[in-house]
Amino acid sequence: MKMIAWVASALVALLAITMFVIPEVSAATEDSTTDVVSSVFIFLCTMLVFIMSPAIALFYGGMLRKQSMTSIIAQCIGVMAVSGVVWWAVGYSLALTGDGPLVGGLDALFGSGLSLTGEDGGIPSYEYMLFQGTFALLTACIVFGATAERVRYSAILVFMALWSLAVYAPMAHMVWGGGLIHSLAEVGLPNVDFAGGTVVHICSGVSGLAAAIAIGGRSGRISKGRSHNVPLMFIGCAALWVGWFGFNCGSAGSFNDIAVLAGVNTFVASCVSTVVWIVVQYLHVGRVSVTGLCAGVLAGLVGITPGCGYVEPWAAVPIGAVAAVVCYFGIIFMRGRSGIDDALDVMGVHGFGGIWGAISVGIFATASYAGYGGLIEGSVNLFAGQVVSVIITMVYCFVVSFVIMKAIDYVLRNAGSRKGAALTESEQMIGADTIEHGEPSYLM
């Protein structure tokens, strides 16, 4: 509780500071050159991506025990709010302004310098900040699936606040803001990421893996891997599937032919991956589960994300097919042989799927779309660059995330209740819904 009080005090102080530093919002003028069609398009895409975060709560919650439904909803809402404040206050500025190798500048703190009107026929910078902010929220919500059912609410909120500053913002800057990974092109290692293969999926998968290792696994006395509400899980998956079109198409930055290409590739890859998942799971275990079908959908979506605006539609077929196989056996490995309790297959789907997706760009990218050709077009530079960017992302996200979670656990163990960041075995048995929130989702 003391840590929550500290966070609340920090937020109050943050809001107070804005009264002195936030500038006046730029007013629309007659000289505005805003592209109205693209602005409406990006706004709709922003709303689609935003709804994906609450969808995560339904998807994750349906996969867990009924004693954890309220907990996952609370984590989703809290993480969205905390990450949103961090992004608006400082995250956007660190990620997408300035020219540092790791983080950018402070020119856009609290929206400073952003405009409500577009420049050079583009969308307003405020709208771009909002669109990118929904990516930050979604990525944060993916992460905590790996530590589900055993992390304290205060710990996860503090972790995600620090993670948003120390992991997500630097990753967005290194890839999309002209930082370290982007600058590898200067040494012959070009790399591209259309909608977040490294920034969102590898980052969230590896970060979740690091947090899960740092905090430890769930008690062996509680049931695992059993979805308590399949319809709820499916509703969450369906909302994610719909929202993904905003995620990928909106990354074109305007309503144009690349946005349409991204939409087609998203559709094809997700459908192909689901079909391949059906075949693989049936051959492997003799039946097909709805949980597996949902994972198959997400595998294709994750796999196509980094290249959806860079490859021809035919390439979405092998990308989606391989993503299904990679994620299927990735989940099996994480659950059975890794010894790591990745509760909701965050590394299995987003981590492994994102790694394949990023590498697939180096194979199938078309120079006319990406600026660089892949192996299919006879070039090895982009492929090498994609591999290097994957390695940098994995190392950075794992190390920093692990350190943050360990630090939070250390602080909690040496202050207040001295219980640490993880729930005790008895608390896990009762369930976080009751222990953490006093509000179970079901009458039991």
Side-chain angles (χ1 to χ4, degrees):
M1 294 303 294
K2 286 186 177 181
M3 184 164 288
I4 293 180
W6 295 341
V7 173
S9 299
L11 290 176
V12 170
L14 185 65
L15 294 174
I17 292 173
T18 65
M19 297 178 62
F20 299 96
V21 301
I22 191 168
E24 294 183 1
V25 175
S26 301
T29 67
E30 294 180 358
D31 297 328
S32 171
T33 57
T34 301
D35 183 335
V36 176
V37 173
S38 291
S39 294
V40 172
F41 172 68
I42 296 300
F43 185 79
L44 291 175
C45 289
T46 299
M47 295 302 99
L48 285 173
V49 181
F50 182 81
I51 203 66
M52 292 173 75
S53 292
I56 284 282
L58 298 180
F59 180 65
Y60 279 175
M63 293 175 66
L64 294 171
R65 300 180 303 155
K66 57 187 176 183
Q67 295 95 329
S68 302
M69 188 72 225
T70 296
S71 172
I72 212 72
I73 293 173
Q75 288 186 29
C76 177
I77 296 173
V79 167
M80 287 178 68
V82 169
S83 299
V85 170
V86 171
W87 180 256
W88 164 74
V90 64
Y92 173 79
S93 187
L94 292 177
L96 299 173
T97 70
D99 56 4
L102 187 61
V103 293
L106 301 176
D107 295 339
L109 287 178
F110 306 102
S112 176
L114 301 185
S115 173
L116 294 176
T117 58
E119 299 177 2
D120 300 323
I123 64 173
S125 51
Y126 257 120
E127 184 174 18
Y128 181 67
M129 183 274 289
L130 186 63
F131 177 68
Q132 287 294 333
T134 59
F135 277 58
L137 267 61
L138 176 63
T139 309
C141 286
I142 293 172
V143 173
F144 63 70
T147 58
E149 297 195 297
R150 75 242 200 215
V151 65
R152 297 189 186 280
Y153 193 59
S154 58
I156 201 66
L157 292 187
V158 175
F159 173 80
M160 296 315 308
L162 296 175
W163 179 89
S164 296
L165 282 174
V167 179
Y168 184 81
M171 278 305 310
H173 180 73
M174 284 192 283
V175 176
W176 291 331
L180 175 64
I181 294 177
H182 178 80
S183 66
L184 291 175
E186 299 173 5
V187 294
L189 294 171
N191 56 89
V192 292
D193 185 351
F194 190 79
T198 50
V199 179
V200 176
H201 297 296
I202 299 177
C203 178
S204 61
V206 173
S207 295
L209 178 69
I213 294 174
I215 202 173
R218 289 169 291 178
S219 167
R221 297 174 62 196
I222 67 174
S223 59
K224 304 172 185 177
R226 184 176 300 172
S227 301
H228 92 275
N229 194 321
V230 173
L232 201 62
M233 177 189 62
F234 169 71
I235 292 172
C237 175
L240 288 171
W241 202 348
V242 172
W244 223 289
F245 286 92
F247 191 87
N248 285 354
C249 299
S251 294
S254 62
F255 185 69
N256 53 33
D257 55 342
I258 300 300
V260 177
L261 175 68
V264 172
N265 285 333
T266 301
F267 173 78
V268 173
S270 59
C271 291
V272 168
S273 68
T274 306
V275 171
V276 172
W277 190 286
I278 291 171
V279 174
V280 172
Q281 189 174 30
Y282 186 81
L283 292 175
H284 185 239
V285 297
R287 61 181 181 274
V288 181
S289 66
V290 175
T291 303
L293 289 170
C294 290
V297 170
L298 295 181
L301 293 171
V302 171
I304 196 62
T305 290
C308 59
Y310 299 139
V311 303
E312 295 286 358
W314 68 263
V317 175
I319 291 175
V322 174
V325 177
V326 167
C327 292
Y328 183 87
F329 290 103
I331 290 173
I332 291 176
F333 170 76
M334 290 302 300
R335 289 185 178 183
R337 297 187 179 182
S338 70
I340 302 168
D341 187 9
D342 178 7
L344 295 171
D345 306 319
V346 175
M347 184 63 195
V349 174
H350 297 277
F352 290 126
I355 291 170
W356 159 244
I359 292 175
S360 73
V361 176
I363 300 173
F364 299 103
T366 301
S368 58
Y369 295 140
Y372 308 97
L375 294 179
I376 297 295
E377 293 193 350
S379 175
V380 299
N381 288 355
L382 180 60
F383 181 81
Q386 293 297 111
V387 172
V388 172
S389 70
V390 166
I391 294 172
I392 293 174
T393 300
M394 293 177 66
V395 172
Y396 181 82
C397 294
F398 184 89
V399 172
V400 180
S401 299
F402 183 85
V403 170
I404 293 174
M405 182 57 83
K406 275 296 186 183
I408 293 172
D409 185 50
Y410 176 82
V411 171
L412 289 177
R413 287 184 183 278
N414 291 275
S417 63
R418 299 180 180 272
K419 289 185 177 181
L423 296 172
T424 63
E425 183 176 62
S426 60
E427 288 173 331
Q428 291 179 41
M429 290 292 293
I430 297 171
D433 288 8
T434 299
I435 295 297
E436 289 281 284
H437 308 285
E439 189 180 26
S441 291
Y442 310 98
L443 296 177
M444 295 179 287

